[in-house]
Amino acid sequence: MAVKCCERIGICNVDRNGSITELQREFFGQGWIFKDWKAFHEHQNAPCYVPELSDTVYTREDFISLCDNQEKIAERMFDEVDWQSPSTLMYEWEKDGEIDICDQCGRMFLSYDVHKCPHCGCFICEGQ
Ligand SMILES: [Zn+2]
């Protein structure tokens, strides 16, 4: 994994119920966001990302559940978000063929240059 240029940009604190008590975004990548690499890698439930356009706080758990409970995909997703919501990035991935759902087992996988489902091992028909 590449070395990160920073451990955290912006500030986000939440109360016990997960409501934001303090939020400061900083410019990163393509927009104004909060992103905390350390929190993502060390805590399940700490705020680790707030997108530019909504005050929605995401935790590692949120990323993992969006990614079919697969940490590898969640980590890739966390690395790539730089202004959008994680679900918007997921939509972009689906549109660009970065991610796919296996017809056989129903699991999600990163599909770029993949010809076999990593979960059930079935071959993926690409209409060749
Ligand atoms: Zn499969």
Side-chain angles (χ1 to χ4, degrees):
M1 187 179 289
V3 176
K4 301 303 174 197
C5 59
C6 42
E7 292 196 328
R8 190 184 78 199
I9 50 166
I11 296 169
C12 178
N13 290 311
V14 294
D15 64 19
R16 214 175 291 180
N17 302 316
S19 305
I20 295 171
T21 55
E22 185 182 8
L23 177 61
Q24 280 179 34
R25 290 178 173 86
E26 281 178 39
F27 192 79
F28 177 79
Q30 303 186 75
W32 290 83
I33 58 167
F34 162 79
K35 189 168 177 176
D36 189 335
W37 285 259
K38 205 168 180 318
F40 178 79
H41 289 289
E42 292 176 8
H43 305 284
Q44 290 289 326
N45 296 308
C48 65
Y49 184 68
V50 178
E52 180 172 75
L53 299 176
S54 84
D55 287 353
T56 307
V57 180
Y58 293 88
T59 64
R60 183 185 180 86
E61 260 190 358
D62 295 329
F63 277 89
I64 290 176
S65 67
L66 262 168
C67 295
D68 189 28
N69 294 315
Q70 297 182 51
E71 296 211 338
K72 198 178 146 214
I73 302 177
E75 284 174 6
R76 165 93 182 269
M77 171 169 276
F78 181 77
D79 277 345
E80 284 196 18
V81 279
D82 57 4
W83 69 273
Q84 69 279 70
S85 72
S87 50
T88 302
L89 180 61
M90 180 62 79
Y91 173 76
E92 287 172 9
W93 277 2
E94 284 170 10
K95 201 172 50 140
D96 296 343
E98 289 277 326
I99 200 139
D100 214 340
I101 309 283
C102 176
D103 284 343
Q104 295 299 314
C105 67
R107 302 292 310 273
M108 184 184 287
F109 60 92
L110 295 166
S111 51
Y112 183 74
D113 216 22
V114 167
H115 305 289
K116 218 174 169 184
C117 170
H119 302 290
C120 68
C122 73
F123 286 92
I124 296 145
C125 175
E126 293 183 304
Q128 290 161 358

